Amino acid sequence: MKNNWPPKLTIYLFYLTIILIPFNARYIFNFDQVQFVEEFHENLTWSVYFFDPIFFCLILSFLVSGFLNKKIKFNLKKSLQTPLFWLILLGILNLIVANEKPPAIYQFTRLSVAFIFFFLAKKLLESKQIKLISILLIFISGIFQSIIALGQFVFQKSLGLSVLGESMIAPDILGVAKFEIYGNKIIRSYGTFPHPNLLAIFLLLALGCGWRLWLQENKKIKKKYLAIGLLFISVGIISTYSRGGILASALLLTIFLITNRKLFSTLLNLNKKNFSFFQKILMRLSILLLIFLIFFSTYRVLAPRLCYKCAGENSIELRQIYSYYAQKIIAENRLLGVGLGNFTLTLKKKSNNLANYEIQPVHNLYLLIAAELGILGLILWSLFILKSGLNKPLNKKRIFGNPFSSVFIIFLLLGLIDHYFWTLPQGQLLFFLGLALSEN
């Protein structure tokens, strides 16, 4: 008998959810209350995104079809043995002790949605066809976002795509991510994401998808089109001027070149016998020289973002301040933390030397979790990640042979320098999508 699970409706809703994740279009229920708040206020914002109604329908379709076809089974005894069960229980207890209840409830709801998305994506991506199409959709979406990003960087303003969630950006708008070069303010590209760093994270995942498609033996997907797409995405990452994104992409590219050195040798005909040893060495040196020239030509443009102690560049100093206060908050609230979504509210009370617009979550995923959920929450979250995605030995083949294992490990490293995997719905979904892809 033919297996009709998952049904086509569930699959198409899953594809549509993946397509809509990059778009920041949303309805803010309490817009009048938060529109003039200068500090980071996503935790105070009650929003419904483009993808929320689609994802709600996806959950219903998945659950109904799963139970009817006996593909989903709930085992209470087994659930009690999982870190996630106790993490959710801790989150519910955290709602009771949170200093401010509304942001805690909203953050708990958003994280719950992300966890559900992970388990749903993990199940659906077991199908090779669904996984291949999903990867292709992310890759195409990455090219689309890169084109928008390039347009924003070239014209130094938003492109009028507010219907897709594009932020209003310009060099003279307060709060827009920008930097100075030769005395001129230059905006960083947003795409349709709420911040350039989050766009860089998505494009990094798209690079991983391009790598996976490159390895896919599929005659319908030609290498030259993949190469053009990868070039667009790489330039898109540079236009975000995200330090972490650029360094992470360089690391991913390095891993790709190392693991596919034989492929590149074949493409360059270095394996043919008619090349002498000296000619092979000369060609390799020429490639290194080309890479050096590309780096040198772009360094003067990237230098303002790579310089930590340049005039007008205080982001590193601010991150150190956030880390100091985060450790102080953790020390005072070791067990249960200050409450989900309550870090910035607590920081505002404790810090007298920060302007309102400088109040942001600590740029460290792990410190932020410990501050809001307590040390116990960080331990349970870490156990969940280890059990879910890193439960197999991290041998050379697993790390370098699977693009998504490499991407997700880089995600974990990026968690040391940013907070979007915890504080923004799109960041949460991208994190767990990366985890689901790495596991399958």
Side-chain angles (χ1 to χ4, degrees):
M1 184 176 179
K2 188 177 180 180
N3 186 3
N4 293 320
W5 197 89
K8 289 186 177 180
L9 177 61
T10 301
I11 297 171
Y12 293 149
L13 287 172
F14 179 64
Y15 293 155
L16 188 55
T17 301
I18 289 177
I19 292 170
L20 292 178
I21 286 176
F23 301 118
N24 194 43
R26 57 177 171 166
Y27 178 78
I28 302 175
F29 290 97
N30 59 339
F31 180 76
D32 292 338
Q33 299 174 19
V34 300
Q35 62 174 324
F36 298 116
V37 177
E38 294 182 352
E39 64 266 21
F40 180 89
H41 55 266
E42 288 296 328
N43 54 325
L44 306 176
T45 304
W46 290 74
S47 304
V48 172
Y49 289 78
F50 250 11
F51 50 78
D52 283 332
I54 303 301
F55 184 59
F56 180 73
C57 294
L58 171 60
I59 294 172
L60 286 179
S61 174
F62 180 82
L63 291 176
V64 171
S65 62
F67 282 117
L68 289 177
N69 290 275
K70 297 181 180 180
K71 296 292 183 179
I72 301 175
K73 297 179 181 179
F74 179 74
N75 189 322
L76 180 60
K77 185 178 180 180
K78 192 175 180 180
S79 298
L80 290 172
Q81 299 173 0
T82 62
L84 181 60
F85 176 85
W86 297 104
L87 183 61
I88 293 173
L89 194 63
L90 180 65
I92 294 172
L93 182 61
N94 184 268
L95 296 177
I96 300 173
V97 301
N99 296 326
E100 295 290 337
K101 300 294 189 293
I105 294 171
Y106 180 73
Q107 179 73 346
F108 179 81
T109 303
R110 279 293 168 192
L111 286 171
S112 299
V113 167
F115 285 129
I116 294 171
F117 177 73
F118 164 67
F119 286 107
L120 191 150
K122 174 184 170 183
K123 189 69 176 177
L124 292 175
L125 290 172
E126 290 176 357
S127 165
K128 291 183 179 180
Q129 183 180 4
I130 294 175
K131 184 172 183 178
L132 178 60
I133 295 175
S134 300
I135 290 171
L136 187 59
L137 288 174
I138 296 170
F139 182 69
I140 294 172
S141 184
I143 297 173
F144 179 68
Q145 289 293 326
S146 297
I147 293 171
I148 295 175
L150 289 173
Q152 291 170 342
F153 188 76
V154 170
F155 295 107
Q156 283 296 290
K157 64 178 182 179
S158 50
L159 304 180
L161 301 175
S162 58
V163 67
L164 299 179
E166 183 191 29
S167 302
M168 288 293 295
I169 54 176
D172 57 345
I173 297 178
L174 184 66
V176 170
K178 60 180 85 74
F179 62 96
E180 286 192 15
I181 180 170
Y182 306 123
N184 298 315
K185 291 182 178 180
I186 307 295
I187 65 167
R188 298 164 56 193
S189 297
Y190 279 62
T192 59
F193 283 88
H195 195 275
N197 289 358
L198 196 51
L199 170 61
I201 288 168
F202 175 71
L203 294 181
L204 178 67
L205 181 61
L207 275 183
C209 291
W211 176 2
R212 182 65 184 83
L213 291 170
W214 187 279
L215 300 176
Q216 181 76 24
E217 294 296 331
N218 192 327
K219 294 181 180 180
K220 294 180 181 180
I221 305 175
K222 296 185 178 180
K223 292 289 196 296
K224 61 180 179 181
Y225 298 130
L226 286 176
I228 294 172
L230 287 168
L231 179 62
F232 266 102
I233 293 171
S234 299
V235 176
I237 290 175
I238 293 175
S239 73
T240 67
Y241 280 81
S242 168
R243 295 188 189 96
I246 293 172
L247 293 175
S249 302
L251 176 59
L252 188 65
L253 178 61
T254 301
I255 295 173
F256 177 66
L257 291 174
I258 291 172
T259 55
N260 292 276
R261 56 186 181 276
K262 291 183 179 179
L263 174 63
F264 279 91
S265 295
T266 302
L267 291 175
L268 294 170
N269 294 320
L270 295 182
N271 290 329
K272 289 189 176 182
K273 294 181 180 179
N274 57 339
F275 280 102
S276 66
F277 176 78
F278 176 75
Q279 288 174 320
K280 291 179 181 179
I281 294 295
L282 185 62
M283 291 186 71
R284 288 189 173 102
L285 288 175
S286 299
I287 294 169
L288 289 174
L289 179 62
L290 177 63
I291 294 172
F292 174 77
L293 289 173
I294 293 172
F295 173 79
F296 182 77
S297 62
T298 57
Y299 175 76
R300 290 179 67 84
V301 179
L302 295 174
R305 285 293 295 162
L306 299 176
C307 180
Y308 292 156
K309 296 183 179 180
C310 293
E313 182 56 60
N314 66 339
S315 62
I316 302 300
E317 182 182 351
L318 285 174
R319 289 175 187 230
Q320 292 172 343
I321 293 173
Y322 300 147
S323 295
Y324 166 77
Y325 280 109
Q327 294 173 51
K328 192 173 181 181
I329 291 170
I330 293 169
E332 295 173 359
N333 305 269
R334 288 188 178 90
L335 187 59
L336 295 175
V338 294
L340 291 167
N342 274 249
F343 179 85
T344 53
L345 300 173
T346 307
L347 176 63
K348 190 174 182 178
K349 293 176 183 177
K350 288 185 173 293
S351 63
N352 298 319
N353 57 337
L354 292 174
N356 285 338
Y357 65 87
E358 293 177 327
I359 300 294
Q360 293 187 40
V362 57
H363 286 53
N364 185 305
L365 174 65
Y366 312 103
L367 287 178
L368 183 56
I369 294 173
E372 293 194 344
L373 272 181
I375 295 175
L376 180 59
L378 176 60
I379 292 172
L380 289 172
W381 183 87
S382 301
L383 288 174
F384 166 70
I385 297 301
L386 289 170
K387 186 175 177 62
S388 299
L390 304 177
N391 55 344
K392 298 176 183 177
L394 289 178
N395 52 40
K396 182 179 178 181
K397 184 178 180 181
R398 175 122 194 266
I399 296 175
F400 298 113
N402 180 359
F404 299 112
S405 291
S406 299
V407 169
F408 187 70
I409 290 171
I410 292 173
F411 274 7
L412 293 176
L413 293 175
L414 286 173
L416 294 168
I417 58 173
D418 227 323
H419 59 83
Y420 295 117
F421 291 136
W422 187 258
T423 55
L424 295 179
Q426 288 150 303
Q428 295 164 2
L429 295 178
L430 289 176
F431 181 84
F432 285 111
L433 179 58
L435 178 58
L437 286 167
S438 70
E439 186 165 351
N440 286 289

